[in-house]
Amino acid sequence: MRAVLGIDAAWTEREPSGVALIVDLGSGWRLVEVASSYAAFVSHKDADPIVRHRGSLPDAPSLLAAAHEKLGGTVDLVAIDMPLSLIPIAGRRASDNMISSDYGARHASTHTPSVTRPGRLSDELRIGFEAAGYPLAVYEPSGRALLEVYPHPALIELASADRRLPYKHSKSRKYWPGEGPAARRENLLETWRRIVTLLDARIQGVGDALSLPSSDARGFEMKAFEDALDAVVCAWVGACVMDGRARAFGDRESAIWIPVPDRD
């Protein structure tokens, strides 16, 4: 059994963080569970998109224990969308600059981390998972490991796209400035539908678990879906690492893992 825990980690404790668990029992990857917050994943409640999920501090032992219970086994890799480093983060890292160099022209540069954002959340995540036996991997991992991933360039590779996919709910007005609200909503849902279809082809069960919100869904419902979707993307990148289909952008202090282009 191989298993990956994917986490779309919010940069502040006020915002919820999506969590996805996938497993390969020898016949391909499948989705075990996806939730739109730490609390929903740990409490075993279904990630109902109607629920207004709350933010909370990440707790590595609780997340790993919940994953173990759902799997009946142990997670191999934890893939997190958050800046992580073996030294304190004070600004842009070599990994940020390398991603921006390769993907900046495709509108997928990294955000600039700082001492305050994500600040202690990043440190606590790394230290917590390291204490649980998942050290941060800046090179090819051997055994259990923690990985930093970044969904925007990962989705570019997943979709063989020329540029960053327009899939963030909060940016829909920026993506389609000449469209009205209804048209922007439909464009966003169509992008989500495309991503779910691509992920479902690689991880069984994604399509069933990630039902698209209705066209009149409220803002927090849309955000909950987006967080869950990002968590599955994070888990997929972890699966690519385990399958030898990803590379690390970084140095001895930090690395961001991105899937290699799919040539199949």
Side-chain angles (χ1 to χ4, degrees):
M1 182 180 75
R2 304 186 300 163
V4 176
L5 185 66
I7 301 175
D8 173 39
W11 284 29
T12 74
E13 62 187 76
R14 296 185 301 275
E15 296 295 325
S17 301
V19 184
L21 180 63
I22 64 174
V23 66
D24 178 12
L25 299 176
S27 57
W29 293 98
R30 69 174 179 85
L31 181 65
V32 176
E33 186 171 324
V34 61
S36 297
S37 66
Y38 295 135
F41 183 79
V42 170
S43 66
H44 312 287
K45 294 180 180 179
D46 186 29
D48 186 341
I50 297 177
V51 172
R52 189 186 292 273
H53 293 271
R54 305 295 182 183
S56 61
L57 290 172
D59 184 80
S62 295
L63 290 167
L64 291 168
H68 188 279
E69 183 174 341
K70 299 171 196 297
L71 287 169
T74 303
V75 167
D76 295 289
L77 294 181
V78 180
I80 299 183
D81 175 19
M82 174 174 280
L84 300 169
S85 177
L86 294 172
I87 65 171
I89 298 174
R92 291 191 68 81
R93 306 159 297 160
S95 53
D96 294 310
N97 293 333
M98 291 173 70
I99 289 291
S100 297
S101 176
D102 274 40
Y103 289 93
R106 300 162 82 178
H107 302 269
S109 297
T110 63
H111 299 289
T112 299
S114 68
V115 173
T116 55
R117 294 187 80 251
R120 66 185 182 89
L121 284 177
S122 171
D123 295 332
E124 290 174 359
L125 268 172
R126 178 184 58 79
I127 292 169
F129 279 106
E130 183 175 9
Y134 295 81
L136 181 63
V138 296
Y139 302 110
E140 194 69 31
S142 58
R144 298 173 191 169
L146 174 68
L147 310 172
E148 178 184 344
V149 301
Y150 185 33
H152 283 303
L155 285 170
I156 285 175
E157 301 301 352
L158 176 67
S160 300
D162 293 331
R163 56 176 292 166
R164 168 178 171 165
L165 300 187
Y167 82 106
K168 290 296 182 179
H169 174 245
S170 65
K171 297 182 181 296
S172 61
R173 186 187 295 271
K174 179 179 179 180
Y175 296 148
W176 302 287
E179 303 283 357
R184 292 198 299 267
R185 174 68 64 95
E186 186 53 43
N187 289 341
L188 180 65
L189 291 174
E190 182 55 39
T191 303
W192 284 353
R193 185 178 293 110
R194 179 188 180 195
I195 295 171
V196 169
T197 299
L198 290 167
L199 288 170
D200 190 64
R202 292 156 176 80
I203 304 171
Q204 181 182 354
V206 171
D208 292 334
L210 292 179
S211 298
L212 293 179
S214 65
S215 58
D216 60 349
R218 290 165 289 183
F220 67 84
E221 296 176 69
M222 302 289 283
K223 182 62 166 60
F225 179 89
E226 183 186 298
D227 291 341
L229 180 64
D230 267 333
V232 176
V233 175
C234 292
W236 171 68
V237 178
C240 291
V241 173
M242 295 202 75
D243 292 338
R245 297 176 59 85
R247 60 171 289 203
F249 290 73
D251 58 12
R252 296 180 180 180
E253 298 170 357
S254 69
I256 300 172
W257 293 83
I258 306 296
V260 298
D262 191 350
R263 304 302 186 192
D264 296 342

